[in-house]
Amino acid sequence: TLLAPFAGIVSSLSFANPGINVTLADIIVEVVDPSGLYFEVDADQSEVGAIKVGQEVAIILDSIDEKEFKGLISFVGLTPKIGATGAIYKVKVKFSDTKVPESGVKVGMTGDGRFILSQKENALYVPVKFVNTDKAGKYVFVGKVGNRVTVETGIEGEETIEITKGVVEGDTLYD
C-alpha cells in the first residue's frame, strides 16, 4: 500500500506489473493534486520589482482559445534561476478558480501571464499606436490627419495608454 500526504489523481504508474526491481531513484507513481495547480512565469529583473505576492494575474494559455483564467501570485523568487540568460526570476501564480482542471487545463501547458500592476476606474484610454512622442512631449492627431493635439498620459500598458488631458471621449484619432 502506498499513501500520499495529499488527495490527488494518479497521473503516471511506471511499473504496473508486480515483481519488478526498483531503486530509490525510480519514480514509481506520480500523483497530481488538481487543487494545487499553478502557472509558472519567468520575470525579468526589470519587471520583478513590481511583482508582489497576492497580486492579480490574467493567465492566457496557448492551447485554450478565447479563455482567460484569473490567478494570484503565490511566490516570487529571491534569486535568479540557474542557467537562465540574464537575471530571470521564478514567479508562481495560483489559479483562482478551483475547477480549473474541468476547463481543460493540464500540467505542462504553456501561455502568458498578464500582470495587473495598476488599475483605474472610468479611465479614457487609446491603443498605444495612436500616441506619438517627440522632444516637445506626447501628442495625438485628432479630427483629421495633421491636427496635432498635445496630451498628458497616465497608466501605460502593453496595448493601451490612458489619456488624462488633451482629448475627450468621442474624439476621432488618426495614426
Side-chain angles (χ1 to χ4, degrees):
T1 301
L2 294 174
L3 298 174
F6 57 87
I9 298 168
V10 174
S11 62
S12 173
L13 184 59
S14 300
F15 305 105
N17 299 322
I20 297 175
N21 292 326
V22 295
T23 68
L24 289 174
D26 290 332
I27 296 175
I28 300 168
V29 177
E30 183 177 45
V31 180
V32 176
D33 178 4
S35 68
L37 287 179
Y38 64 88
F39 186 69
E40 188 173 310
V41 180
D42 291 339
D44 186 78
Q45 65 183 344
S46 64
E47 303 162 329
V48 75
I51 297 172
K52 300 189 178 10
V53 171
Q55 189 173 351
E56 190 176 327
V57 179
I59 303 166
I60 300 96
L61 298 173
D62 296 335
S63 60
I64 301 178
D65 292 335
E66 307 298 321
K67 178 84 169 135
E68 186 176 284
F69 298 92
K70 298 289 182 203
L72 296 174
I73 296 173
S74 62
F75 172 81
V76 179
L78 293 174
T79 57
K81 290 175 72 172
I82 296 172
T85 304
I88 304 295
Y89 296 83
K90 182 187 336 187
V91 177
K92 289 184 179 180
V93 180
K94 177 98 168 96
F95 286 94
S96 296
D97 185 0
T98 57
K99 299 197 184 303
V100 166
E102 288 88 16
S103 301
V105 175
K106 307 288 184 216
V107 174
M109 286 186 163
T110 59
D112 293 313
R114 290 192 181 146
F115 295 85
I116 300 167
L117 301 177
S118 59
Q119 288 182 295
K120 193 171 190 180
E121 295 291 323
N122 300 318
L124 175 65
Y125 62 92
V126 300
V128 171
K129 71 177 185 175
F130 288 102
V131 180
N132 303 294
T133 306
D134 64 10
K135 61 185 174 187
K138 294 183 180 181
Y139 63 93
V140 296
F141 294 112
V142 179
K144 61 182 179 181
V145 177
N147 184 29
R148 178 181 165 145
V149 175
T150 302
V151 294
E152 292 181 15
T153 60
I155 298 172
E156 295 185 31
E158 288 181 13
E159 299 170 0
T160 59
I161 185 168
E162 177 190 12
I163 304 292
T164 58
K165 190 175 183 182
V167 296
V168 295
E169 184 176 357
D171 283 349
T172 301
L173 302 182
Y174 294 90
D175 63 351

